[in-house]
Amino acid sequence: MSTGLIWKEWRQNAWVFIFIVIAFVGSEATTAMNTVNLFNENYKYYQSDEFQKVNSTDQIMTGNEIKNDLSLTPYDFEGNLALFFYVFLFLGLKLTVFEKNKQMDYFTFGLPYSRKQIFWHKMLIPLVLIILVVPIIIFLRFMYIYQQIPEIYLPSVMDAFTYISSFSLLFLFSYMLAMAVGNLVGEIITASIIAIGSVISFLYMFPGALTNLVVGFKAYFAGKIIADVDGGAVMLFNALPTPILRGGMALGEFVVLIVLSIGMLVISWYAMKTASLENNGRFLMNNKFRLPILIIGSIYITICLSGHYASFEYAKLITTGQVVGLVVKMILILVASIIAFWILMYKWKTLRKH
């Protein structure tokens, strides 16, 4: 542990770290007060003479129905947590590609430290924020709400911890993804587009698109309608954060986020370790990544676009014509993606010169 490197990171980025903490505290405090105020208003309404009069003449609500209506889940007072997913994405880009564009890497790598030391010290403060500071702030918000609202209307403590853990993992994944992209790509606009596009496509397209393709082809080859495949599988058109934000969080999603975060960490380290300072400001910091990105990127885009816009009817058998049409569409998207990546990876510099 080098205090010199820690001080360097703090001096360069203190304003960002402080802004995140202040914004997070303000957001959580506002959410907590709004939740309590809204609950109190609803509670007073159900106790008022106005409601008693309406409830005796119109459709009568039972005591249990009133309790259910007043009861809260952690996701009923989510606040702006989803927005901070993109705040940590920006933080990862700030610590990588933003600094490259200011040529801070030349100064950093000129210090008497190994790249490994630099990499882990660059990770230290953001990880403290994500793993320690942010969960504590969310926990304090829960404590305030639990003190102000009767326990029978509140979620269980286990639900609260699940909620805190799920968002911490989302923030971790967001930051790790940005670090991986920022260490791979040397150009700030390109890196920002790739990072935001990756997040949006993965969280809102890829899992649903993959589900569509798998379930669709499985139903066709089994000669069944989609409703009869896998116990009536639901075709998904959104993904990872949706179950979390709506109150459902499966263990599998925790595992996926942890594995993806570790994967992004490995890519980030390898990209930084092998990056060439001569490529600062260019599309790729290491040209050896061109072919893997071309292959993986083309397949990824093909799955996202073809699966997301695949349309099958639940109660009807999938015809051979529909499958052939989908396969043709997948091939066309794949070919177009390969050409686009090939031009970007191998010919873009030549084209720009002309």
Side-chain angles (χ1 to χ4, degrees):
M1 186 72 66
S2 168
T3 54
L5 279 175
I6 294 176
W7 170 243
K8 170 192 165 294
E9 289 300 316
W10 175 257
R11 185 178 58 186
Q12 288 180 358
N13 304 291
W15 68 272
V16 180
F17 301 140
I18 293 172
F19 167 79
I20 291 175
V21 173
I22 293 175
F24 209 91
V25 170
S27 174
E28 291 297 273
T30 302
T31 298
M33 289 185 289
N34 288 342
T35 299
V36 172
N37 291 336
L38 183 60
F39 174 84
N40 288 334
E41 289 176 7
N42 291 334
Y43 186 82
K44 289 178 181 177
Y45 171 72
Y46 282 120
Q47 304 299 318
S48 67
D49 294 336
E50 178 187 356
F51 172 74
Q52 298 301 328
K53 182 178 179 181
V54 172
N55 198 42
S56 62
T57 56
D58 296 337
Q59 184 176 0
I60 299 176
M61 291 183 67
T62 65
N64 194 48
E65 288 173 335
I66 294 174
K67 175 183 174 297
N68 291 336
D69 193 54
L70 287 171
S71 295
L72 300 171
T73 72
Y75 310 90
D76 291 327
F77 41 93
E78 168 207 330
N80 298 310
L81 285 182
L83 176 63
F84 281 92
F85 183 87
Y86 295 97
V87 170
F88 284 105
L89 189 75
F90 165 80
L91 178 62
L93 294 174
K94 166 68 177 67
L95 299 183
T96 52
V97 70
F98 278 60
E99 292 187 4
K100 289 186 181 74
N101 279 252
K102 291 184 177 181
Q103 298 186 335
M104 289 300 300
D105 279 10
Y106 291 99
F107 169 75
T108 303
F109 291 133
L111 297 174
Y113 302 105
S114 67
R115 290 199 177 193
K116 186 176 181 180
Q117 287 176 298
I118 294 171
F119 177 79
W120 285 112
H121 281 78
K122 191 174 287 290
M123 287 283 183
L124 181 62
I125 298 176
L127 289 182
V128 169
L129 283 177
I130 294 170
I131 297 174
L132 185 63
V133 176
V134 163
I136 289 176
I137 295 172
I138 302 176
F139 178 74
L140 292 175
R141 182 245 282 183
F142 271 92
M143 285 186 61
Y144 174 78
I145 293 175
Y146 276 58
Q147 290 173 349
Q148 302 297 318
I149 297 176
E151 185 179 353
I152 61 171
Y153 300 112
L154 292 169
S156 67
V157 174
M158 182 57 67
D159 285 343
F161 277 110
T162 301
Y163 175 93
I164 296 171
S165 301
S166 63
F167 272 100
S168 296
L169 284 175
L170 279 172
F171 296 151
L172 179 65
F173 168 67
S174 177
Y175 175 72
M176 291 300 180
L177 172 66
M179 289 292 291
V181 172
N183 283 324
L184 281 170
V185 180
E187 204 278 315
I188 187 170
I189 297 177
T190 305
S192 300
I193 293 173
I194 291 174
I196 295 173
S198 299
V199 165
I200 293 175
S201 63
F202 179 76
L203 296 179
Y204 297 101
M205 288 183 70
F206 181 74
L210 185 61
T211 301
N212 281 351
L213 294 176
V214 171
V215 175
F217 279 109
K218 188 173 182 179
Y220 172 75
F221 288 112
K224 299 179 180 180
I225 62 174
I226 291 176
D228 293 334
V229 175
D230 294 335
V234 177
M235 307 295 267
L236 303 174
F237 287 95
N238 37 45
L240 278 177
T242 305
I244 297 172
L245 299 181
R246 290 184 180 175
M249 182 65 178
L251 177 61
E253 288 163 339
F254 272 96
V255 174
V256 168
L257 284 173
I258 292 171
V259 171
L260 287 173
S261 298
I262 294 173
M264 293 299 107
L265 177 66
V266 172
I267 293 172
S268 180
W269 159 239
Y270 185 75
M272 180 176 173
K273 177 184 177 182
T274 60
S276 169
L277 289 178
E278 295 177 358
N279 291 332
N280 258 15
R282 298 182 182 179
F283 176 64
L284 286 180
M285 296 289 291
N286 184 342
N287 289 329
K288 292 182 180 180
F289 283 102
R290 289 186 295 190
L291 185 59
I293 291 176
L294 186 151
I295 295 172
I296 297 172
S298 299
I299 295 173
Y300 178 80
I301 290 175
T302 300
I303 293 173
C304 282
L305 294 180
S306 61
H308 184 73
Y309 295 105
S311 178
F312 302 114
E313 295 186 40
Y314 290 95
K316 292 184 179 180
L317 290 173
I318 299 174
T319 65
T320 302
Q322 288 177 306
V323 172
V324 171
L326 177 59
V327 171
V328 170
K329 181 167 65 174
M330 292 177 68
I331 293 173
L332 292 176
I333 294 173
L334 180 62
V335 171
S337 301
I338 291 173
I339 293 173
F341 274 110
W342 179 75
I343 293 174
L344 185 63
M345 300 289 179
Y346 296 95
K347 297 297 179 181
W348 185 246
K349 186 187 297 185
T350 303
L351 292 175
R352 289 184 66 178
K353 288 181 180 179
H354 294 291

